[in-house]
Amino acid sequence: MPINIPKQLPAGKVLEKENIFIMDDERAVTQDIRPLNIVILNLMPEKQKTEAHLLRLLGNSPLQVNITFLKTVTYAPKNVSQSHMEEFYADFSSIRHRKFDGMIITGAPIEHFQFEEVKYWEEMTEIMDWADEHVTSILHICWGAQAALYHHFGINKFPLREKCSGIFRHRIYNGEKHIELLRGFDDEFIAPHSRYTNLPEEELRDHEELVLLASSKEAGPFLIMSKDGKHIMATGHLEYDTTTLKEEYERDLDRGLSVRIPAHYFPNNDPNEEPLNRWRSHAHLLFSNWLNYYVYQQTPFEWE
């Protein structure tokens, strides 16, 4: 089944070339199907790349999905045209009366700030509190995951000595293999990380409202879920394209930053060689399991 997106969204052309099943909004209204309504708060600087990353995964599902992109009004992005934001993104004030089946809150390259120092933190907390009452399940990614853990569960991030960047091995905790979010996952799987902060694993394990599902010896906690399935936190970036870490690494070098080569990423640890995607299958599993078990199976047919 298709993902339903605005007809002129640039990511649509990218996905069509990859044979991703998409449907524009004009065709979708002719189908007598109750689609899932997903709102995406996209905080990443390169909006259009993130749109393609997420839509690619949301489109690999037997469910019809309507997408609403959400923007902040207290901070205007610098790496995308204003016309793109006006055409494809909604303000919170225009959707706050609605109910959504699912929500995605992305990461943002602002880990060096304390949460309260972020320009849009007050707006962000208002949106997160709204989502608790108006959304069936929320998937939080990277900084979005850290923000949710801090705001909802009182667990704060801590700074790392150097950037955590690369492809890392993760293990599923033995007692959590039955969790539906992990259905189809290998006991050990690979996922990308790209951040300057981490989370205290012991606090996550001991929190009475949370379940730590998977972790990496090198990168730390990766998948965390609230016991009611309302909040799912992924500290890494399974949604990344094959070359995303390469592009970030080259951008950091251009800025004069002292960063290491992303770990376990380039063949032979050589930045001149093209990286291989070894996490794609688990990216599709994570998103399809979330959509099916935590959104579709849980959301009411008609919101009251």
Side-chain angles (χ1 to χ4, degrees):
M1 292 296 290
I3 182 171
N4 176 20
I5 60 177
K7 189 171 185 178
Q8 300 302 323
L9 186 73
K13 295 180 180 179
V14 176
L15 300 178
E16 283 181 340
K17 291 179 181 178
E18 299 176 14
N19 204 29
I20 302 295
F21 191 7
I22 63 172
M23 176 186 293
D24 64 54
D25 41 17
E26 292 179 8
R27 180 184 171 200
V29 296
T30 67
Q31 292 199 326
D32 187 19
I33 297 173
R34 159 68 162 89
L36 294 177
N37 293 303
I38 306 294
V39 58
I40 301 175
L41 177 58
N42 185 4
L43 303 172
M44 292 291 278
E46 296 186 287
K47 305 294 184 191
Q48 295 186 33
K49 287 185 178 181
T50 302
E51 292 160 12
H53 293 171
L54 297 175
L55 295 178
R56 179 180 296 115
L57 297 169
L58 293 171
N60 188 35
S61 164
L63 306 166
Q64 183 176 319
V65 182
N66 290 338
I67 299 296
T68 298
F69 285 108
L70 184 62
K71 63 183 178 181
T72 58
V73 296
T74 45
Y75 178 77
K78 301 175 181 177
N79 297 307
V80 65
S81 68
Q82 185 63 30
S83 61
H84 182 87
M85 299 302 293
E86 290 177 356
E87 183 172 0
F88 300 115
Y89 282 71
D91 293 339
F92 178 52
S93 61
S94 68
I95 67 152
R96 64 184 308 155
H97 64 285
R98 294 178 57 187
K99 304 279 191 176
F100 287 86
D101 305 301
M103 182 176 192
I104 297 174
I105 299 178
T106 73
I110 50 175
E111 308 104 302
H112 54 289
F113 290 111
Q114 295 296 323
F115 291 110
E116 290 83 0
E117 295 174 347
V118 175
K119 289 183 178 180
Y120 50 78
W121 181 246
E122 185 175 342
E123 183 179 8
M124 178 87 170
T125 57
E126 184 180 9
I127 292 172
M128 288 193 289
D129 288 339
W130 165 86
D132 259 346
E133 301 296 328
H134 291 75
V135 181
T136 301
S137 183
I138 307 107
L139 175 60
H140 312 262
I141 299 173
C142 199
W143 182 84
Q146 295 180 343
L149 288 165
Y150 179 70
H151 180 65
H152 295 298
F153 306 103
I155 296 179
N156 205 350
K157 57 186 171 66
F158 61 86
L160 296 170
R161 292 182 179 179
E162 58 185 6
K163 187 177 185 179
C164 174
S165 175
I167 310 302
F168 300 97
R169 294 187 178 274
H170 302 76
R171 289 281 185 95
I172 294 174
Y173 280 90
N174 288 331
E176 312 306 338
K177 293 180 182 180
H178 66 285
I179 296 290
E180 291 170 324
L181 186 69
L182 302 176
R183 186 162 290 178
F185 270 61
D186 295 329
D187 293 344
E188 184 178 85
F189 64 95
I190 293 170
H193 287 258
S194 179
R195 50 188 162 73
Y196 288 92
T197 54
N198 211 336
L199 293 163
E201 187 160 328
E202 187 173 347
E203 283 189 48
L204 294 170
R205 285 201 310 265
D206 294 342
H207 200 287
E208 62 181 8
E209 297 177 72
L210 298 172
V211 182
L212 178 58
L213 302 177
S215 185
S216 164
K217 288 184 178 179
E218 292 184 84
F222 175 57
L223 284 176
I224 309 104
M225 185 178 74
S226 62
K227 291 182 178 179
D228 61 3
K230 184 82 173 182
H231 299 279
I232 292 169
M233 283 71 65
T235 65
H237 288 281
L238 274 172
E239 82 282 2
Y240 268 10
D241 278 341
T242 305
T243 59
T244 304
L245 285 177
K246 177 183 179 180
E247 293 162 3
E248 290 184 350
Y249 173 64
E250 292 172 347
R251 185 180 64 224
D252 287 344
L253 292 179
D254 288 343
R255 292 174 176 172
L257 300 177
S258 177
V259 290
R260 289 190 179 185
I261 296 172
H264 319 301
Y265 177 56
F266 293 106
N268 303 311
N269 206 33
D270 182 355
N272 295 313
E273 295 196 29
E274 288 300 312
L276 300 174
N277 192 312
R278 293 175 285 147
W279 60 91
R280 185 182 294 114
S281 60
H282 284 88
H284 283 285
L285 275 174
L286 177 68
F287 276 73
S288 62
N289 286 347
W290 173 64
L291 273 180
N292 182 21
Y293 298 114
Y294 298 86
V295 181
Y296 176 69
Q297 301 291 345
Q298 303 298 325
T299 200
F301 186 81
E302 292 185 6
W303 276 98
E304 294 181 0

